Amino acid sequence: MARQTHDREDLLAEGVNLPERARLRHLPTDREWLIGWRKDGGPAIYDGPDRVFQFNAKNELRRVYLDGEKLAAQDKSLCRMVRPAASQQCQSTDRAQSTERVRMHWQQLSPAGAERIAEEWATTRDSFLSSLESAAAERLARSNGDSSRKDSVYDWQSVGCDSETLLKRTQTWLKSISNNPAIAAQPNA
């Protein structure tokens, strides 16, 4: 029997940790990006259901969710949580100790792993920015009464802020952020 997967909740409607947020959907492909800003000013970008990049207010990358893996900033490096090797775990016959929770530890990404994350971020950033610019041009043409434009291929929706203001803010932020952003000292904003 095949395992069914479902996209996460509707973050545009339910993303209360991101009081100002917007979603851009490319209608022909149903691809979507969501961007939102936390109260402290740190943005988060969701590129589909399994590609998330979260930043702090200094535009430092603090968390990444990619291909089912969760990464977090620790001491200015991206790390993953891993179980200790079996040889590092204490073997005990004492029932109280054997039910103790396994303690996870941070493992820093290899240089190749960190480079891959930077490449994935660059891909998300560039595709989102390009699509936003196309959506903005489409909206401008419609507002200027260009009747030669066919139906819209982009849908831009926002919550918590005026749609046009959030569109410009998102474009400005994406243009300002590096394709290889600095890593935060810790995962918390």
Side-chain angles (χ1 to χ4, degrees):
M1 187 162 140
R3 183 176 165 207
Q4 294 183 6
T5 60
H6 301 281
D7 288 350
R8 62 182 58 151
E9 71 273 12
D10 180 357
L11 289 173
L12 185 64
E14 302 168 13
V16 295
N17 288 334
L18 304 168
E20 295 180 348
R21 57 196 181 273
R23 176 176 52 211
L24 178 67
R25 189 173 357 195
H26 182 248
L27 299 172
T29 62
D30 205 31
R31 180 169 183 190
E32 68 179 45
W33 299 265
L34 184 125
I35 186 164
W37 276 269
R38 295 168 53 98
K39 288 179 185 175
D40 69 357
I45 293 188
Y46 297 76
D47 181 357
D50 194 34
R51 184 179 273 214
V52 180
F53 300 91
Q54 296 179 349
F55 295 83
N56 63 21
K58 298 178 195 173
N59 291 333
E60 297 170 325
L61 191 58
R62 65 185 192 87
R63 291 183 192 211
V64 175
Y65 300 88
L66 185 65
D67 300 331
E69 185 172 39
K70 298 176 185 181
L71 305 170
Q74 289 294 322
D75 300 322
K76 303 234 176 233
S77 295
L78 283 177
C79 300
R80 66 174 58 89
M81 290 291 284
V82 296
R83 287 183 182 271
S87 63
Q88 294 175 336
Q89 295 180 19
C90 294
Q91 301 298 323
S92 173
T93 57
D94 183 307
R95 182 172 174 84
Q97 288 181 344
S98 67
T99 59
E100 188 176 314
R101 295 174 72 189
V102 173
R103 295 177 200 258
M104 304 289 277
H105 68 271
W106 292 106
Q107 179 184 59
Q108 186 175 343
L109 286 182
S110 67
E115 185 177 318
R116 178 179 167 263
I117 297 301
E119 289 170 0
E120 296 292 340
W121 162 245
T123 298
T124 290
R125 178 198 168 274
D126 294 346
S127 64
F128 189 24
L129 181 57
S130 173
S131 295
L132 271 176
E133 289 173 344
S134 295
E138 186 178 88
R139 289 169 70 99
L140 181 62
R142 274 198 321 271
S143 70
N144 289 336
D146 184 351
S147 59
S148 67
R149 299 289 297 202
K150 294 187 179 184
D151 290 336
S152 176
V153 291
Y154 290 100
D155 179 40
W156 175 255
Q157 299 175 340
S158 67
V159 171
C161 188
D162 172 69
S163 182
E164 289 302 316
T165 301
L166 208 47
L167 178 66
K168 289 176 184 166
R169 180 180 182 190
T170 301
Q171 285 178 296
T172 300
W173 182 79
L174 286 169
K175 288 176 183 176
S176 74
I177 190 80
S178 164
N179 273 348
N180 190 13
I183 308 299
Q186 61 184 13
N188 300 336

